[in-house]
Amino acid sequence: RDPLSRIQKDVTNWFSEEEIADLMNSLQTISNIVAFLHRAKTGTGKTLYPALTAMAEKIKVFPALVDKANSILDKSCQVKDTASRRLADIRRDKTEATKAVMRNMQNALRDAQKEGIIGRDTQLSMRDGRMMIPVGAANKRKIKGTVHEGSGSGKTVYIEPEAVVEASSRLRELEADERREVIKILIGFTDLLRPHIADVLRSYNFMGEID
């Protein structure tokens, strides 16, 4: 209930992916309870649970919100590519940018090995979330790129090749675009929910009473 109260009081807030998933599950459960009580009848057509059914008559269900949530989120509570055309385009470009980073890095590593700047068995290193080539300090000017801090002994430095820097910058831009679009989608769902918060809270109270 806390997230519902939060967005009710502050229109600048929005539901997270996890909160939408929790809400979707709760609303579906409420819908299932109401449907069960309406179906529970004797052979003569009388309701089996008159008091509970009377309670259920006053409760609203929200199939449109559940459907919308299902159209936004996958089973892992992640926003689907298909949640918006813009998001699908961004993620397609992001996949290509990721491949470009890997391709450029592998090419730079292979070239450095061929030129004898690094050993044939040298492997890529991950530093601060970025792939880099470990290079002996004496050879750090032989690879064009950004030189990052070296090992504790100072004998090794880590270089992000020039072509990789450009591709990585593009990838980071797309990651930022992706997050902005995801937030836009979450805000859109939250705005769709906002007018129904009072009724949703009553439905939650009903679910608690039934429990």
Side-chain angles (χ1 to χ4, degrees):
R1 187 177 302 178
D2 288 343
L4 283 166
S5 300
R6 171 168 54 78
I7 65 168
Q8 187 177 34
K9 294 175 182 177
D10 185 353
V11 296
T12 64
N13 269 312
W14 61 84
F15 266 73
S16 68
E17 294 93 323
E18 292 77 13
E19 288 169 340
I20 291 176
D22 289 342
L23 176 70
M24 177 180 64
N25 290 334
S26 295
L27 293 181
Q28 186 61 62
T29 298
I30 292 166
S31 181
N32 292 344
I33 292 170
V34 170
F36 168 78
L37 290 173
H38 285 161
R39 289 195 308 266
K41 295 182 179 180
T42 65
T44 59
K46 292 183 178 181
T47 179
L48 288 173
Y49 314 107
L52 296 180
T53 302
M55 289 171 57
E57 292 287 353
K58 304 173 185 176
I59 299 305
K60 289 186 178 181
V61 293
F62 305 91
L65 287 175
V66 173
D67 288 346
K68 184 62 175 178
N70 277 319
S71 74
I72 291 173
L73 299 181
D74 62 21
K75 293 181 180 179
S76 302
C77 297
Q78 299 300 308
V79 175
K80 295 178 179 178
D81 295 354
T82 54
S84 78
R85 181 173 295 181
R86 169 73 173 152
L87 184 61
D89 291 342
I90 290 171
R91 287 184 172 170
R92 184 190 62 245
D93 293 345
K94 183 182 166 186
T95 297
E96 293 304 314
T98 300
K99 290 178 181 178
V101 170
M102 291 299 301
R103 184 170 58 249
N104 291 346
M105 179 58 81
Q106 291 294 340
N107 289 341
L109 178 70
R110 188 164 51 248
D111 290 345
Q113 290 171 336
K114 286 181 180 179
E115 294 172 14
I117 299 172
I118 58 176
R120 290 283 180 180
D121 58 347
T122 300
Q123 300 295 316
L124 297 173
S125 295
M126 187 67 73
R127 309 280 289 187
D128 298 324
R130 300 182 181 185
M131 286 185 297
M132 301 185 193
I133 300 175
V135 181
N139 293 324
K140 67 180 182 181
R141 301 298 177 194
K142 295 182 179 180
I143 298 179
K144 289 184 178 181
T146 303
V147 179
H148 295 263
E149 65 180 48
S151 61
S153 66
K155 294 181 179 179
T156 302
V157 297
Y158 296 88
I159 298 177
E160 190 176 13
E162 189 173 62
V164 175
V165 172
E166 294 175 2
S168 294
S169 294
R170 174 58 177 157
L171 179 58
R172 286 191 293 275
E173 288 175 6
L174 288 167
E175 288 171 343
D177 289 345
E178 178 186 25
R179 187 54 192 165
R180 281 191 291 269
E181 182 63 17
V182 165
I183 290 174
K184 180 180 177 182
I185 291 166
L186 299 180
I187 291 173
F189 177 84
T190 305
D191 287 343
L192 186 67
L193 166 67
R194 255 184 248 280
H196 306 288
I197 290 177
D199 288 329
V200 170
L201 286 172
R202 279 191 287 273
S203 295
Y204 267 47
N205 287 334
F206 166 75
M207 183 168 62
E209 290 178 27
I210 292 294
D211 187 58

